[in-house]
Amino acid sequence: MRYLACAMLATLAVTGASRAQAPGDAAWPAKPIRFIVPFPAGSLSDTAARLVGQRLAKPLGQPLIVDNRSGASGSIGVEAAAKAAPDGYTIVLGTTSTHAVAVSLNSQLSYDPLKDFAPVSLVGVSPYVLVVHPSVEARNLKELIALARAKPKALNYASAGPASLAHLAAELFAATAGVELTHVPYKSSALAVLDLVNGRIEIQFGTIAPTLPHIRSGKLRALGVTGSARLAALPEVPTLDEAGLPGYEASLWIGILAPARTPAPIVARLAREIAAVLESADVREAFLAQGLDPAPSTPQAFAEYIRSEIAKWRKAVQAAAIRPE
C-alpha cells in the first residue's frame, strides 16, 4: 500500500508538472501578445483595441503589442491572424465588415470567418442613427416610409461608398420597409455629412460621434437608431424596431478573436479578462464617448452572433445585388 501511495504521488507530481506547462494554464502568457488590428491607427476600431489592450496588460502580466495591418477593407490583417500559430500569442480585432460582410461580398475570401478563428468576446457595438435633413417632410419613421413609398427613388441617401456597412444598412432598411431609395456614394463620411447638412442629400445612416453635434444643433433630424436598444446619448430617439420596423437591426460591432485551435483555457481566460475591462467605469465612459456600447460576451455567444450576422448580411447583399468595387 505504501508503494502504491508513493507511486500515485509520483504520478500526480508528473501530471502536475505537465499541467503547469500546458497552454492555457498559469504558464500563459509568458511573453507579449501580438494584437493585430486590421485598420489604420486612429480609426474607431484601433482606438477601441488600444484601450482594451492597455487595460488587459495588467491582469495578464504581459503587454499587448498592437500591430496595425490595414488594407483590403481589413482582409490583410485578418488573413495574417488566421495563419498565425494558435498558441495564445496572437489575437485579432474583428468587425462586422471583416467577419460578416466580407464573406457575403466575396466568395473567394482568403480566410473563413468561422472555421479559421476561435471567437473570444464581443467588445463593443456602434449602431447608426437614421437622420434626415429638416426639409424632409417626415417627423418620424412611419412618415418617412410613407413618403418614400409615395415617391419611389426620389429620396437620396448618402454612404461612405459602395458596399460600405452604411450602404448595406440603408439597403437592409429599404428591403425591410418595402421602399426604393437612391444611393449616392461618397469618398468619406465627412463629405457625406457636409452635403446632408447643406440639404443636397436627404437621408443618411450616420455614425454616432460625427452626427450627434448636428442633431443637437437642429441641422439634422434623428428618426431612429439602428441598434437593439436606445442610445444613452440619444435616449429620446427610438430604435427602428420600436419606431415601426420590427426586427430591424444593423450595427458596426467590434470583437476579439484568436486563430482556430487556440487552447480553450486561453480563450476562456481572455474572455473573462475582457469582460472585467469592459465593466470598468473609465473604459465604459471612453467607449460611449466614441459612440460604442461596451458588449462583453462568452466565446460561445460571440460565435453564434457571428453566424447570425453572416446570414443577415448575405441576405441583404443578395437582395440588393451589391457587388464590391
Side-chain angles (χ1 to χ4, degrees):
M1 289 292 293
R2 184 178 179 183
Y3 173 80
L4 180 58
C6 290
M8 290 178 66
L9 287 172
T11 301
L12 287 170
V14 172
T15 303
S18 298
R19 284 177 56 82
Q21 300 303 317
D25 211 292
W28 179 89
K31 62 180 181 180
I33 298 168
R34 179 174 62 148
F35 191 177
I36 296 177
V37 177
F39 299 101
S43 63
L44 175 63
S45 299
D46 176 74
T47 299
R50 289 177 185 275
L51 187 62
V52 173
Q54 289 169 3
R55 299 305 195 282
L56 282 175
K58 184 176 181 179
L60 293 179
Q62 293 288 343
L64 278 76
I65 310 301
V66 173
D67 180 4
N68 291 101
R69 293 207 177 188
S70 60
S73 299
S75 294
I76 290 176
V78 174
E79 181 183 3
K83 294 179 178 178
D87 56 7
Y89 290 100
T90 297
I91 58 175
V92 64
L93 196 80
T95 69
T96 316
S97 298
T98 63
H99 279 75
V101 172
V103 70
S104 304
L105 291 169
N106 183 5
S107 60
Q108 303 300 317
L109 196 64
S110 58
Y111 59 88
D112 187 306
L114 293 173
K115 294 179 180 178
D116 290 341
F117 297 92
V120 176
S121 176
L122 190 63
V123 170
V125 177
S126 180
Y128 293 100
V129 56
L130 171 57
V131 291
V132 297
H133 187 266
S135 63
V136 176
E137 297 176 355
R139 308 295 302 184
N140 55 52
L141 182 67
K142 289 183 178 179
E143 290 181 1
L144 178 65
I145 292 173
L147 182 62
R149 286 176 178 169
K151 300 178 179 180
K153 297 186 178 182
L155 295 174
N156 301 312
Y157 74 89
S159 84
S164 64
L165 190 58
H167 176 202
L168 295 178
E171 289 297 332
L172 180 63
F173 165 78
T176 306
V179 300
E180 292 182 274
L181 306 173
T182 297
H183 179 215
V184 181
Y186 285 77
K187 291 183 178 180
S188 71
S189 295
L191 292 174
V193 170
L194 182 63
D195 270 9
L196 183 67
V197 169
N198 288 324
R200 289 187 283 269
I201 296 291
E202 289 87 11
I203 304 170
Q204 186 182 26
F205 283 76
T207 51
I208 304 302
T211 309
L212 193 57
H214 299 300
I215 295 172
R216 288 177 171 164
S217 69
K219 294 179 180 178
L220 296 177
R221 182 186 304 138
L223 301 186
V225 294
T226 66
S228 58
R230 295 194 182 200
L231 289 171
L234 292 168
E236 74 283 3
V237 179
T239 67
L240 266 64
D241 180 278
E242 292 175 322
L245 207 59
Y248 182 93
E249 193 274 334
S251 300
L252 167 65
W253 52 259
I254 296 171
I256 293 176
L257 307 96
R261 297 178 299 283
T262 296
I266 290 178
V267 172
R269 184 178 174 196
L270 276 169
R272 290 195 303 270
E273 302 293 4
I274 291 167
V277 165
L278 294 175
E279 287 166 2
S280 63
D282 62 331
V283 171
R284 179 175 179 79
E285 183 178 345
F287 264 49
L288 292 176
Q290 296 292 325
L292 273 172
D293 282 334
S297 70
T298 64
Q300 296 76 18
F302 188 24
E304 288 303 315
Y305 184 63
I306 293 173
R307 290 189 183 93
S308 68
E309 285 285 282
I310 290 173
K312 177 176 72 180
W313 291 117
R314 180 172 284 149
K315 182 178 179 181
V317 166
Q318 292 173 348
I322 296 172
R323 298 288 181 271
E325 294 187 7

